[in-house]
């Protein structure tokens, strides 16, 4: 047996014979447990008696920036008709606030307050394209169910010339 092989055999045997030792350490991160409360709670103390600092009690009023752009509220919105050449604003696919404060749509007339409440005016101009898209999805789903396709993914691609 060569000297290198003998040293390797001795090293392997010593590794097998060495007992395994577990190292256990406890870290307290500088915290020491103390018995008792060093600062007793005064009598009559409640959580409401502690007030926040004055800087946190109320936010300081901010003065408006004189250079800031102030937008006027939206009073009308129009969709762009791209089927005509040149493209122009569509009078039929538009929404505007009427004199009584009700929303008037160019195609569907006056919309009820309960219908238009909570919907931005810019979205109401897109009612017809949205209805056409929903109808196309419904028709596609019906044809898929007739063909026996129970589930799947519908990929919608917009082709713009």
């Amino acid at each position: 047996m060569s000297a290198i092989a003998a040293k390797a055999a001795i090293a392997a045997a010593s590794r097998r014979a060495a007992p395994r030792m577990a190292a256990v350490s406890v870290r307290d991160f500088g915290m020491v447990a103390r018995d008792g409360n060093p600062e007793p709670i005064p009598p009559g103390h409640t959580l409401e008696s502690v007030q926040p600092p004055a800087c946190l009690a109320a936010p300081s009023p901010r003065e408006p920036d004189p250079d800031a752009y102030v937008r006027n509220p939206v009073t009308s919105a129009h969709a762009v008709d791209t089927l005509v050449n040149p493209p122009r604003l569509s009078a039929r696919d538009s929404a505007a606030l009427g004199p009584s404060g009700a929303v008037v749509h160019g195609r569907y007339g006056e919309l009820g307050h309960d219908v238009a409440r909570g919907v931005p005016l810019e979205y109401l101009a897109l009612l017809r394209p949205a209805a056409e898209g929903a109808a196309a999805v419904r028709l596609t789903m019906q044809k898929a169910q007739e063909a026996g396709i129970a589930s799947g993914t519908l990929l919608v691609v917009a082709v713009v010339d």
Side-chain angles (χ1 to χ4, degrees):
M1 179 182 258
S2 71
I4 296 175
K7 286 183 182 179
I10 292 172
S14 67
R15 267 186 260 134
R16 273 182 266 139
R20 302 244 180 222
M21 299 180 70
V24 177
S25 66
V26 177
R27 300 185 67 181
D28 58 6
F29 298 104
M31 303 294 291
V32 178
R34 298 182 188 196
D35 293 332
N37 187 0
E39 297 180 21
I41 299 174
H45 175 77
T46 62
L47 288 177
E48 288 78 26
S49 64
V50 178
Q51 298 298 321
C55 63
L56 298 177
S60 60
R62 292 188 179 186
E63 296 179 12
D65 185 7
D67 295 330
Y69 176 74
V70 179
R71 281 184 69 164
N72 293 329
V74 177
T75 57
S76 67
H78 296 267
V80 177
D81 189 2
T82 58
L83 298 177
V84 296
N85 194 7
R88 59 188 161 111
L89 294 179
S90 173
R92 303 266 307 166
D93 292 325
S94 65
L97 290 176
S100 65
V103 177
V104 179
H105 194 275
R107 185 177 303 268
Y108 304 116
E110 187 171 326
L111 302 176
H113 182 66
D114 56 336
V115 173
R117 186 182 66 216
V119 180
L121 198 60
E122 299 89 9
Y123 293 155
L124 291 174
L126 302 173
L127 283 177
R128 182 192 56 83
E132 288 177 355
V137 169
R138 187 188 74 233
L139 182 64
T140 304
M141 295 301 293
Q142 284 177 349
K143 290 193 178 206
Q145 288 175 350
E146 290 171 2
I149 302 172
S151 64
T153 303
L154 176 65
L155 178 63
V156 178
V157 179
V159 179
V160 180
D161 291 332

